[in-house]
Amino acid sequence: MLATIRHPASAAVQAPPLIIAHGLYGSGRNWGVIARRLADRREVVAVDMRNHGDSPRFPTQSYPDMAADLAEVIESFAAPVDLLGHSMGGKAAMHLALTRPDLIRRLVVADIAPVAYNHDQTRNAQAMASLDLTQITTRAEADAALAQRIDDPALRAFFLQSLDLRHKPPRWKLNLQVLEDEMPKIVGWPGTQGAFDHPALFLTGAESSYVRPEHRETIKALFPKARFAKIPEAGHWLHAEKPRAFEETVRVFLEA
């Protein structure tokens, strides 16, 4: 089963558990602050998706496989639960909602649509894999080495959260070769059919181009009770850029 980080409710439980599925190259640990804040009235569980973090390594990264992983976690609780997925995790959450709607009470999809995209994240996997980790002893050294391939310091900082410096030699807590090999599936969409007839929130960054107006017809066909909201001054990483606005919007939707 997937590795999980559990945040028990800090007060009397008033709602089903919330499961959080992160995006590509992320981990459950990335969601620590938001998860803890949302755990005031419910248990919150952040997972490490397959081939990420402390979860098992597999040769595939398809959305049916990732959805099955999430179903296994959810079935260890008293379903239905609430499910939040960002980017790759959002696509896995949508596939699960369409194929196993009995497992999910409310769905939050963060800055992704059920469509195939043209962008390619392969170069980032290649950049991380190119580091000679036998020569790395500090995060600053890793950042300097990664800067030769990736200009954006915020993006490097995000990737470096998955570098395990306590291991000797350091290692990536990402199955980079499989993620590179499976990139067409990750940026794609398996054409999943069905209808999730429960509340769904499609929450996007106002400055992101991932969920465009032309995607709404497809979203509404698959998620007829979909609602749409935008976080001002936020891009694709809306939960990291505007965490309090993201948290409050999710809270209002889940508690409606």
Side-chain angles (χ1 to χ4, degrees):
M1 193 164 77
L2 297 180
T4 60
I5 303 172
R6 300 181 68 158
H7 302 270
S10 57
V13 175
Q14 299 178 14
L18 171 65
I19 311 298
I20 299 177
H22 63 77
L24 180 62
Y25 304 133
S27 70
R29 192 166 62 90
N30 301 151
W31 288 81
V33 174
I34 288 175
R36 285 191 294 272
R37 290 176 64 93
L38 289 173
D40 54 349
R41 291 188 289 274
R42 65 167 74 221
E43 181 172 12
V44 179
V45 181
V47 306
D48 286 345
M49 302 294 278
R50 61 169 50 206
N51 295 314
H52 292 72
D54 294 322
S55 279
R57 277 26 183 170
F58 294 98
T60 64
Q61 198 74 26
S62 74
Y63 287 111
D65 288 337
M66 286 187 272
D69 295 339
L70 291 174
E72 186 179 20
V73 172
I74 291 170
E75 287 170 337
S76 70
F77 295 90
V81 303
D82 292 338
L83 178 60
L84 186 163
H86 172 247
S87 199
M88 179 190 76
K91 282 189 172 181
M94 286 188 284
H95 181 89
L96 181 60
L98 293 170
T99 55
R100 292 290 310 276
D102 57 299
L103 296 180
I104 303 168
R105 185 191 73 134
R106 286 178 174 252
L107 175 70
V108 179
V109 179
D111 213 67
I112 203 73
V115 299
Y117 290 88
N118 294 323
H119 62 255
D120 187 2
Q121 298 290 335
T122 300
R123 65 180 185 86
N124 291 321
Q126 294 171 340
M128 286 182 270
S130 72
L131 266 61
D132 181 0
L133 296 180
T134 64
Q135 304 301 310
I136 299 293
T137 58
T138 67
R139 199 162 301 276
E141 291 174 353
D143 183 63
L146 202 57
Q148 299 177 30
R149 300 282 295 268
I150 299 174
D151 294 332
D152 187 345
L155 199 56
R156 295 199 305 271
F158 169 68
F159 293 152
L160 290 172
Q161 290 183 48
S162 291
L163 181 62
D164 182 4
L165 287 168
R166 291 175 294 182
H167 190 270
K168 302 301 179 186
R171 63 180 177 182
W172 291 105
K173 299 181 78 171
L174 298 164
N175 193 344
L176 291 170
Q177 188 60 60
V178 166
L179 296 177
E180 179 179 347
D181 293 344
E182 294 284 277
M183 195 60 66
K185 295 177 184 176
I186 296 170
V187 300
W189 173 250
T192 314
Q193 298 298 307
F196 179 70
D197 198 29
H198 300 282
L201 174 65
F202 283 76
L203 182 57
T204 60
E207 298 177 2
S208 172
S209 61
Y210 274 71
V211 182
R212 298 191 294 272
E214 59 265 31
H215 296 153
R216 288 206 175 197
E217 183 178 352
T218 299
I219 292 170
K220 291 293 286 186
L222 298 172
F223 303 92
K225 293 185 178 177
R227 304 177 191 176
F228 299 87
K230 290 185 177 182
I231 302 293
E233 301 178 358
H236 185 59
W237 304 99
L238 63 173
H239 60 292
E241 296 166 9
K242 297 291 181 179
R244 297 291 77 79
F246 181 90
E247 170 208 326
E248 186 57 29
T249 306
V250 168
R251 185 189 300 278
V252 168
F253 170 72
L254 293 181
E255 296 180 359

